[in-house]
Amino acid sequence: GAGRTDAGVHAKGMVANGFLDTALTPEEIKVYANHYLPDDICIREVAVVSERFHARLNAKGKVYQYTCYIGDEKPVFDRMYTWVLPEWVTNGTPDRMPDIEAMQKAAGYLIGTHDFKSFCSSSSQVENTVRTITDITIDKAGDMIHIRISGNGFLYNMVRIIVGTLMKIGLGIWPEDCMESILEAKDRTKAGPKAEAKGLTLVEIKYL
């Protein structure tokens, strides 16, 4: 596989490779596998690739999207794919809307190559915490806020911690320029809380 996702995180663009000794065509493999896979897994495409192709090692980048719900009523049909902002975010005022512009300005501090140790769960054993974020976009569509993050790789819980931090900034709990000092601190305790897993989706693996 191209990587691992936390329990509860979704994937629309996971890539995996393997060697098969079969006379079936790629389309026949797809149909056959989907017939036996559980209902929450679907193969969208099967292709023949070079023997040297490796889904994880050849990956150049990943794109994640996080979805937050900010409406007044429970998102019954989207409940498995969104983070309904808890009281610590709304500060007891459910009608308080995050400042998207402030969040986008704060996100700008994260663009580029940095040591993201502040945004990595302390339980991670990884030694190198330097990563490159190429783009972060934040937009509101109805009662949903979508945070899309692209980068060359991500640390354990990194996207979820970034989202929790951005929400504190968006609600005015923290100033937007605090993101710079959080990044420089290289200290997990300085960043915001970890957003719920179910709001996160792996959208795409990039190879070019």
Side-chain angles (χ1 to χ4, degrees):
R4 294 178 294 175
T5 56
D6 302 342
V9 173
H10 313 284
K12 291 184 177 179
M14 179 58 75
V15 178
N17 70 281
F19 292 91
L20 299 176
D21 182 9
T22 177
L24 296 176
T25 67
E27 184 62 25
E28 289 171 335
I29 294 171
K30 173 184 171 182
V31 172
Y32 184 88
N34 280 331
H35 178 74
Y36 289 101
L37 284 169
D39 290 341
D40 59 348
I41 301 177
C42 178
I43 295 177
R44 300 169 62 186
E45 180 182 1
V46 175
V48 177
V49 295
S50 165
E51 289 187 3
R52 296 180 61 84
F53 175 78
H54 193 289
R56 179 173 62 85
L57 299 180
N58 291 143
K60 303 298 183 184
K62 295 181 179 180
V63 181
Y64 283 93
Q65 179 168 291
Y66 198 95
T67 302
C68 303
Y69 179 77
I70 55 174
D72 296 328
E73 300 175 352
K74 294 187 293 184
V76 175
F77 299 107
D78 295 314
R79 68 188 185 280
M80 299 300 295
Y81 308 99
T82 60
W83 180 32
V84 179
L85 302 186
E87 188 172 336
W88 71 259
V89 176
T90 60
N91 201 25
T93 56
D95 59 340
R96 188 177 179 189
M97 293 295 104
D99 184 337
I100 304 298
E101 184 176 350
M103 294 171 67
Q104 191 69 66
K105 288 181 180 179
Y109 289 103
L110 303 178
I111 303 299
T113 301
H114 306 284
D115 187 333
F116 285 94
K117 189 173 182 178
S118 292
F119 300 93
C120 178
S121 284
S122 56
S123 59
S124 174
Q125 301 299 313
V126 66
E127 295 183 2
N128 182 11
T129 51
V130 175
R131 297 291 186 273
T132 300
I133 290 183
T134 54
D135 187 50
I136 300 178
T137 59
I138 305 169
D139 64 85
K140 180 177 178 293
D143 291 330
M144 302 290 187
I145 292 178
H146 301 294
I147 302 172
R148 199 175 183 95
I149 303 180
S150 304
N152 70 342
F154 295 88
L155 302 167
Y156 183 43
N157 294 152
M158 179 174 163
V159 176
R160 294 166 61 189
I161 296 170
I162 288 175
V163 171
T165 304
L166 287 173
M167 276 299 161
K168 275 190 169 289
I169 293 170
L171 271 299
I173 301 171
W174 290 351
E176 61 191 48
D177 59 358
C178 76
M179 189 66 88
E180 184 175 21
S181 60
I182 293 172
L183 191 63
E184 293 175 350
K186 301 179 181 62
D187 183 350
R188 170 66 187 95
T189 65
K190 302 300 182 182
K194 180 174 60 180
E196 291 186 1
K198 63 182 181 180
L200 184 60
T201 299
L202 172 62
V203 176
E204 181 184 359
I205 308 289
K206 294 186 176 182
Y207 291 97
L208 298 176

